Amino acid sequence: MIQNYHDAMAICRSRGNPYLFITFTCNVRWVEIQNALSLIPGQKPEDRPYIISRVFHMKLDEFMSDIKKGSYFENIVGAIYTVEFQKRGLPHVHIIIWLNQVDKYPTPNDIDRIISTEIPKKEMEPELHKIVSKFMIHGPCGIANPRAPCMKMGRCVKHFPKKFQQETTIGEDGFAVYRRRDDEDIIVKSGVEMDNRFIVPYNKQLLLKYDAHINVEWCNRSWSIKYLFKYVNKGPDRTRAFLQTEKEAPGQNSAAGDPIFDKIKTSIDCRYLTAYELAWRIFEFHIHHKYPAVLNLTIHLPLMNNIVFNGDIDVNRVLQQPGIEKTMLTEWMFTNTNFEDARGLSYAEFRTLWRWDTTNKIWFHRKRGSCIGRITYVHPSAGELYYLRMLLSHSEGAENFVHIRTINQIVYDTFKEACNATGLIGDDREWHEAIEEVVAWATSQELRYLFVTSILYCEVIDANKLLERNLRYLQEDICYKLKNQHEI
């Protein structure tokens, strides 16, 4: 999950802030599901979870194909999704979409063109009115239904009903406030009259084609991007439990010969599973998807690359395997030596024009498609490996490790000395840059841990300046949490 989150942030750094956040939920009334169930009379959707998973997978593939082709949103340059399974079982997917930079800052009219939060006119759009009435009404909650799942402390955590809004605007927090006109149109749900204030944002064309709950939100100017990605990559629901027989009880006297109850040995770390998710994983359908692809570029010190092998193989035999010393990093330097057109790219940029062949362990020219490279994160306390990573972020066309340590035709003994010669680590600069790098994705706890580790082990000269910078980022982090205590 952490690697998927870092991949998403790599796309964000390359493509800018995402544009749209979409939630697409399975509909058991789809005609494909009903036709399959009709072959065996009396069957319910929950009786055939593999049918639900297969059909939703087909719908999701078609959905993403339409998105990438620009059928509903133009100039798509990136997309990721994560499939989740509700506690009641039905699968749904969270999708984040990037558009071209020229479309990053649309006018309110542009937002209204792709997102609607109003009840469609039944006379003019009867089919759309039917779908919105079925899937895109929140509630009833509040006074009409105080026991609704969304109600906490007497209030709706999703902040429904919304306020009437004559025109779409961008709020101070960066979120879009959609147009919700008071046109007196209502939909009766569970005996309660619902108006535009209860409509979940949607796209008309997507609803008409896929006939399901599809929530579409505009998120481009939001300053909560990293929380959006953490929400998408939060992982499955979990619980921790322990087993105990009737004769066992905590705190029994072991001196009297009674057994000691050990919670550590009997505790179980569990996760919530449904039949739909089991079928999904048995079929080996993707849980995560990203476009464009992101390649995690390995990094290591000279002759210290990782080698994976079976435990029953003799080590000498492993070391004699041809090409065992080849890695992405060593072959990047080899390619720079033999191809002049490769020398103008840094290690992270190299992936955009060159493709890695895992089987043969070589780089070759990319003929089609696109990809983003990201160098594996290295903690500042890692020493020389951390300084090597710093140099790789600024070096272009390096042909060997010695070349990386060469600054102004002077070969330095260590990567740290080379960093110092380039001015990358003067006056605690490396520790400030370390905090600035992780602030884009780290939580408050991770920021505090990095700061303390830097103070203890990284020879910080001026701890007060580092503390001042770290506190500023923590303040921004905490302010966001206080302002947005509900889930995105």
Side-chain angles (χ1 to χ4, degrees), residues 270-398:
C270 309
R271 58 167 294 184
Y272 189 90
L273 283 174
T274 67
Y276 302 109
E277 182 175 2
L278 292 175
W280 190 278
R281 292 187 179 275
I282 289 173
F283 295 145
E284 297 184 356
F285 296 151
H286 289 298
I287 295 292
H288 303 277
H289 172 80
K290 62 183 73 73
Y291 163 79
V294 178
L295 180 65
N296 187 8
L297 300 171
T298 58
I299 180 176
H300 59 85
L301 294 173
L303 299 178
M304 295 184 64
N305 54 296
N306 293 329
I307 300 175
V308 180
F309 59 92
N310 294 328
D312 56 350
I313 300 179
D314 182 69
V315 175
N316 293 326
R317 180 183 171 188
V318 173
L319 296 176
Q320 292 173 1
Q321 293 179 2
I324 194 67
E325 76 286 352
K326 293 182 178 180
T327 66
M328 291 182 184
L329 179 58
T330 60
E331 297 312 293
W332 168 66
M333 293 185 288
F334 177 79
T335 306
N336 290 333
T337 304
N338 293 274
F339 296 90
E340 186 176 352
D341 58 342
R343 299 169 191 167
L345 300 172
S346 66
Y347 188 36
E349 298 169 341
F350 198 71
R351 190 66 171 96
T352 58
L353 300 180
W354 293 75
R355 183 178 177 184
W356 174 249
D357 185 342
T358 305
T359 304
N360 299 313
K361 293 186 177 181
I362 60 172
W363 291 98
F364 58 90
H365 281 286
R366 177 177 298 279
K367 296 181 180 179
R368 59 185 177 86
S370 62
C371 183
I372 298 172
R374 69 172 179 89
I375 304 177
T376 302
Y377 175 71
V378 178
H379 197 275
S381 61
E384 280 291 276
L385 186 61
Y386 174 72
Y387 296 112
L388 171 60
R389 185 179 185 273
M390 289 185 66
L391 290 171
L392 286 174
S393 300
H394 297 83
S395 300
E396 297 179 354

